[in-house]
Amino acid sequence: MDCGIFTSKTVLLFLSLVFWAAGAVLAYVGAYVIKSNDNFGSFIQDKYTLVPAAIIIGVSVVMFIFGLVGCCATLRESKVGLSFFFLIIMAIFAAEVAALVFSFIYKGKINADLERSMSEVFVHYDGQTTETKAVDYLQTQLQCCGVMNYTSWSNTTWSNSHNNTVPLSCCKNGTSQCTGRMDQPDLLNTQGCEGKLDQLLQDVLSYAMLVILGFAIIKFFGMLSVCVITCKAGNRRSGYQPLYA
């Protein structure tokens, strides 16, 4: 078998197998981004992270469906099948590039409105509302307290009506003596939640961007391989170049 054909087939078969693995990974990444947004959705008014996540999940579904198509088309050297597979790869490649661009654009916009939206949620903390549960979850999971730091609570209705204390979700893990008093900072998580949440969302998008970039490169070589097989198979059928030595 011609070395170019053999190499190209190997690449495409590998790509077909990678489609399933890639689909699973991208589905996980997209779901993780959405889950992160849901967990801290009360603090994010503009759903920037959902756009690339939705694209990623859509791409993963397409990968699962057409992985088999690529494998069959490669083994049969079907010109129609390979052409269809090429269009699939190109469409997915374009979608991944779009997701990469959206991620890059929205990555810089996360911090812009985060402080304002978080401040609005923290102000409505009263120990009972949905905002309360969101704040407690945020402070417990990220081990933080307040928007900028634990002293951010001093200007809230909650603190003024509870003897200048902070919610117990600000307490460090394993500190049963903590009562939320601001004059006992050694018992509190003193770091602000804005910086930690911003870093978390930035890390999630950075991770997603790296995954998308890696699979986009694989798709690029897949398109080249389809071209090689199609051209050489066409030449063989035309009598210009044999497929087998």
Side-chain angles (χ1 to χ4, degrees), residues 48-60:
Y48 295 127
T49 56
L50 293 182
V51 176
I55 296 176
I56 292 172
I57 291 178
V59 169
S60 70

Side-chain angles (χ1 to χ4, degrees), residues 68-140:
L68 182 61
V69 174
C71 182
C72 294
T74 301
L75 292 175
R76 293 174 60 87
E77 294 185 20
S78 169
K79 185 175 181 180
V80 175
L82 287 173
S83 299
F84 184 55
F85 192 42
F86 178 86
L87 293 177
I88 294 171
I89 298 175
M90 185 171 63
I92 295 176
F93 177 78
E96 288 174 339
V97 171
L100 191 63
V101 172
F102 275 120
S103 298
F104 182 78
I105 294 174
Y106 293 149
K107 192 170 183 286
K109 292 184 177 182
I110 292 176
N111 182 261
D113 298 322
L114 196 56
E115 181 179 352
R116 175 177 55 82
S117 59
M118 287 184 68
S119 297
E120 292 177 357
V121 175
F122 273 71
V123 165
H124 291 92
Y125 187 97
D126 63 1
Q128 297 178 348
T129 62
T130 302
E131 288 84 355
T132 294
K133 295 180 180 179
V135 170
D136 285 337
Y137 180 83
L138 176 72
Q139 294 188 146
T140 300

Side-chain angles (χ1 to χ4, degrees), residues 183-237:
D183 58 356
Q184 296 178 328
D186 55 315
L187 300 178
L188 302 174
N189 295 311
T190 57
Q191 287 185 290
C193 294
E194 182 206 354
K196 286 197 170 185
L197 180 56
D198 178 64
Q199 187 60 52
L200 173 64
L201 296 176
Q202 296 282 355
D203 291 344
V204 168
L205 274 182
S206 296
Y207 172 62
M209 290 170 66
L210 287 176
V211 172
I212 294 170
L213 178 61
F215 287 121
I217 293 174
I218 294 176
K219 303 303 183 304
F220 176 75
F221 283 107
M223 289 188 289
L224 290 180
S225 298
V226 170
C227 292
V228 171
I229 294 178
T230 301
C231 291
K232 294 211 170 189
N235 288 338
R236 182 198 62 177
R237 295 186 183 105

Side-chain angles (χ1 to χ4, degrees), residues 166-187:
V166 298
L168 294 181
S169 56
C170 284
C171 295
K172 293 181 178 179
N173 293 332
T175 53
S176 58
Q177 303 87 355
C178 179
T179 59
R181 291 172 54 183
M182 290 191 187
D183 58 356
Q184 296 178 328
D186 55 315
L187 300 178

